[in-house]
Amino acid sequence: MSANLSAFLYLVAGVLFILSLRGLSSPATSRRGNLLGMIGMAIAVATTLANHPPADGLAWLLVIVGIAIGAAIGAVIARRVPMTSMPELVAAFHSLVGMAAVLVAAGAFYAPEAFDIGTPGNIHTQSLVEMSLGVAIGALTFTGSVIAFLKLSARMSGAPIILPARHVINIALAVALVACIVGLVVTGSAVFFWLNVILALALGVLMIIPIGGADMPVVISMLNSYSGWAAAGIGFTLGNSALIITGALVGSSGAILSYIMCHAMNRSFISVILGGFGGETAAAGGATGEQKPAKLGSADDAAFIMKNASKVIIVPGYGMAVAQAQHALREMADMLKKEGVEVKYAIHPVAGRMPGHMNVLLAEANVPYDEVFELEDINSEFAQADIAFVIGANDVTNPAAEEDKTSPIYGMPVLQVWKAGTVMFIKRSLASGYAGIDNPLFYRDNTMMLLGDAKKVTENIVKAM
Amino acid sequence: MEHAAQVVDPFIFRLSIFVLAVFVGYFVVWSVTPALHTPLMSVTNAISSVIVVGALLAGGVANVSSGSGWARAFGFVALVFACINIFGGFLVTQRMLAMYKKKAK
């Protein structure tokens, strides 16, 4: 196959990847988009195998076995993973992209002739620059994603780990990393290559450990972005347009998602990166001390009030996912609809642990996507709703974000549930939320607290209906 | 100005593709509905594993020196990782997207 034809086919693959993301503009076109992505990938792989076939029988065997192992593991994971675990799965996938970037660069470093970038020990300077950037970002993505995975899957505490003088350490590491990149480019020595890898691995760990659990949606989006930039760096080394296009797409996608998440939390990207947020649990809420009365309700009361309502807006949060209450919730919504009640769902951008997580969980429970609304689209409707049914969410409904200038979450866009006739909160306790901030809504006259496990309470309401 | 002697470095072409793709990505991703942000992340995971082309090059290199032996080993591991991502990423995205349904009328 001529080099021109293969370059053209890589371009086709790149365009198919663009179309696969474009398909996600609506659920109706998304499935075809995903299919186009798969076709693009098949074209890229086939082109590479046709243009640079493995050198001998053993190499073919390695390639086929490698693909088979990866395909089997990937397929099993994709079928088995519960939807609640999507954030940690995505973090794990990011780490694999990062590691793959490092390994491909290592392969190119030891066999540069296969990549047309020079001969061993004598690689083009420009390729070394591209390669070392790809390696550094890839290694950083790898360890950063591993830490994010451990935090998201609760194998490690979500609390920020603050090392003394961490900024000094990080800056020192970054400077050393740059020095190693320069060293690698100037000398082409393997020692600098691996030092580069080690420093970037360490930096990845240190960058993510001080970031608290509440900021995980930003972290996971940011790592998404990094994995894209790493791929683009390797794409420059290989001179492969499919890889360059994809890297750019993924890099900007992750950056946009990080921006959306930061905006939804009213936090600056810099303050998230610097870390430390979400650790001082209840320091703000607990200090006020005074015992305020909250109105407790029973499942029967809730069922009665809701059946007689004309409009109910359900606000799901991460607590719903933890309790696996989405199916019971859908059942409740179905019964309400039978009674002629209008039911809608309101989703805050940072509900859940990753962008769009709540939407997937509701879709899994067969909630039609045209009943699910984003914050800007539904906030004006709370005033006309009889009931706001908040299940497993807290901080995203906190009126302090609009009313209390001293609150740490002041300025964050929130769902204005308090404008509804009655607010029902399903919570395990009156404790403060993930961000450690007291919610004054619990103690208002039109609020009814339904304390208990989200799933059990919802099931009891269904029974009472 | 001499015309004949000026050859544009291929790097500049790559950089042009890259910069334009960043802009394409910016507009395409803003048009993604927020309800599909999770599938967006899983599918970007899958497509960024097109890094598999590098793994195929390294894994299939002619075995002529100790360097190429190492390249094969690195390429093989990278290939496995990238394929986990490709298959896992596309299939889990497909599984998620299949769940999004409209209201039954």
Side-chain angles (χ1 to χ4, degrees):
Chain A
M1 194 187 289
S2 80
N4 285 336
L5 179 60
S6 65
F8 176 73
L9 289 173
Y10 285 130
L11 179 64
V12 171
V15 171
L16 286 170
F17 292 149
I18 294 174
L19 292 176
S20 81
L21 297 194
R22 176 71 198 152
L24 291 171
S25 57
S26 110
T29 56
S30 63
R31 285 173 277 259
R32 198 189 54 199
N34 196 38
L35 192 65
L36 292 176
M38 293 184 198
I39 295 171
M41 188 61 75
I43 291 176
V45 170
T47 306
T48 307
L49 287 177
N51 207 27
H52 292 275
D56 49 45
L58 177 66
W60 269 108
L61 188 72
L62 280 179
V63 164
I64 290 167
V65 170
I67 293 179
I69 295 175
I73 299 175
V76 169
I77 293 174
R79 290 186 70 167
R80 296 231 179 118
V81 65
M83 286 299 143
T84 37
S85 306
M86 276 314 292
E88 50 262 42
L89 178 71
V90 166
F93 280 168
H94 288 154
S95 72
L96 292 182
V97 177
M99 201 58 206
V102 173
L103 290 168
V104 168
F109 186 76
Y110 282 95
E113 64 281 2
F115 294 77
D116 298 326
I117 53 170
T119 51
N122 198 5
I123 302 174
H124 306 321
T125 307
Q126 192 181 309
S127 302
L128 281 174
V129 176
E130 296 156 359
M131 188 192 283
S132 50
L133 287 176
V135 165
I137 304 172
L140 193 144
T141 308
F142 173 70
T143 44
S145 302
V146 168
I147 300 293
F149 169 79
L150 293 173
K151 286 195 173 191
L152 286 162
S153 58
R155 286 180 176 87
M156 184 176 152
S157 159
I161 299 169
I162 312 276
L163 296 178
R166 66 202 155 95
H167 297 314
V168 179
I169 298 175
N170 283 354
I171 291 169
L173 269 178
V175 171
L177 186 60
V178 172
C180 276
I181 291 177
V182 173
L184 174 63
V185 172
V186 173
T187 66
S189 137
V191 176
F192 280 114
F193 182 92
W194 292 110
L195 265 178
N196 186 350
V197 173
I198 292 166
L199 287 173
L201 289 173
L203 192 59
V205 173
L206 292 174
M207 266 183 74
I208 307 301
I209 54 169
I211 303 181
D215 284 339
M216 274 302 142
V218 180
V219 169
I220 193 169
S221 313
M222 185 180 84
L223 290 167
N224 186 227
S225 182
Y226 288 177
S227 69
W229 304 131
I234 302 299
F236 273 95
T237 312
L238 304 186
N240 183 306
S241 55
L243 199 41
I244 295 175
I245 293 175
T246 314
L249 287 180
V250 177
S252 47
S253 165
I256 290 173
L257 290 175
S258 314
Y259 168 80
I260 294 175
M261 292 297 112
C262 283
H263 181 73
M265 294 194 294
N266 191 38
R267 313 245 294 119
S268 79
F269 190 66
I270 300 295
S271 75
V272 171
I273 297 294
L274 293 180
F277 189 71
E280 50 287 343
T281 312
T288 55
E290 62 183 294
Q291 207 57 41
K292 286 166 282 189
K295 219 164 63 181
L296 301 182
S298 70
D300 296 308
D301 303 337
F304 179 78
I305 300 172
M306 273 198 278
K307 269 205 297 197
N308 292 303
S310 64
K311 183 170 183 174
V312 174
I313 299 179
I314 298 172
V315 180
Y318 190 66
M320 175 198 81
V322 173
Q324 289 285 323
Q326 56 268 39
H327 296 277
L329 183 69
R330 213 265 346 262
E331 234 179 289
M332 185 191 92
D334 284 349
M335 294 186 77
L336 287 174
K337 278 192 260 177
K338 257 185 231 154
E339 301 279 338
V341 181
E342 187 189 358
V343 180
K344 285 185 175 179
Y345 296 81
I347 298 198
H348 191 278
V350 291
R353 293 283 166 84
M354 73 184 288
H357 193 198
M358 265 322 121
N359 301 76
V360 174
L361 294 171
L362 291 177
E364 190 192 17
N366 285 322
V367 171
Y369 64 80
D370 38 6
E371 287 177 8
V372 183
F373 296 88
E374 301 302 319
L375 177 117
E376 309 89 73
D377 300 327
I378 199 155
N379 236 352
S380 59
E381 290 190 35
F382 280 107
Q384 292 110 50
D386 303 291
I387 293 161
F389 185 83
V390 185
I391 175 165
N394 181 1
D395 296 330
V396 299
T397 64
N398 196 334
E402 291 191 358
E403 294 159 5
D404 179 4
K405 285 205 167 96
T406 62
S407 171
I409 57 168
Y410 180 75
M412 167 172 143
V414 287
L415 290 160
Q416 299 164 334
V417 293
W418 59 89
K419 292 192 174 161
T422 306
V423 186
M424 292 185 186
F425 263 101
I426 299 196
K427 272 192 104 263
R428 269 171 306 188
S429 69
L430 289 172
S432 56
Y434 214 51
I437 301 152
D438 204 20
N439 191 340
L441 206 51
F442 297 167
Y443 315 105
R444 291 204 179 167
D445 290 338
N446 67 340
T447 302
M448 182 196 255
M449 301 298 298
L450 300 155
L451 298 184
D453 175 73
K455 189 175 176 188
K456 281 202 193 102
V457 173
T458 314
E459 282 168 350
N460 288 341
I461 295 175
V462 171
K463 267 184 227 149
M465 283 176 180
Chain B
M1 289 290 285
E2 338 164 36
H3 289 278
Q6 292 201 338
V7 178
V8 177
D9 189 315
F11 172 78
I12 300 301
F13 284 117
R14 289 167 200 166
L15 189 66
S16 320
I17 295 176
F18 177 74
V19 172
L20 292 177
V22 169
F23 279 91
V24 170
Y26 179 85
F27 290 107
V28 169
V29 171
W30 272 115
S31 77
V32 171
T33 168
L36 293 177
H37 276 162
T38 296
L40 171 68
M41 292 189 97
S42 61
V43 86
T44 50
N45 248 313
I47 64 173
S48 55
S49 302
V50 72
I51 199 157
V52 73
V53 301
L56 288 171
L57 289 181
V61 70
N63 203 357
V64 290
S65 62
S66 68
S68 51
W70 279 112
R72 276 192 178 189
F74 292 133
F76 178 74
V77 181
L79 182 64
V80 173
F81 283 0
C83 285
I84 293 177
N85 245 342
I86 292 172
F87 284 84
F90 279 125
L91 292 177
V92 86
T93 308
Q94 192 177 41
R95 192 176 136 208
M96 274 191 274
L97 294 176
M99 298 186 307
Y100 282 81
K101 292 187 191 83
K102 258 191 129 113
K103 213 182 298 187
K105 291 269 161 67

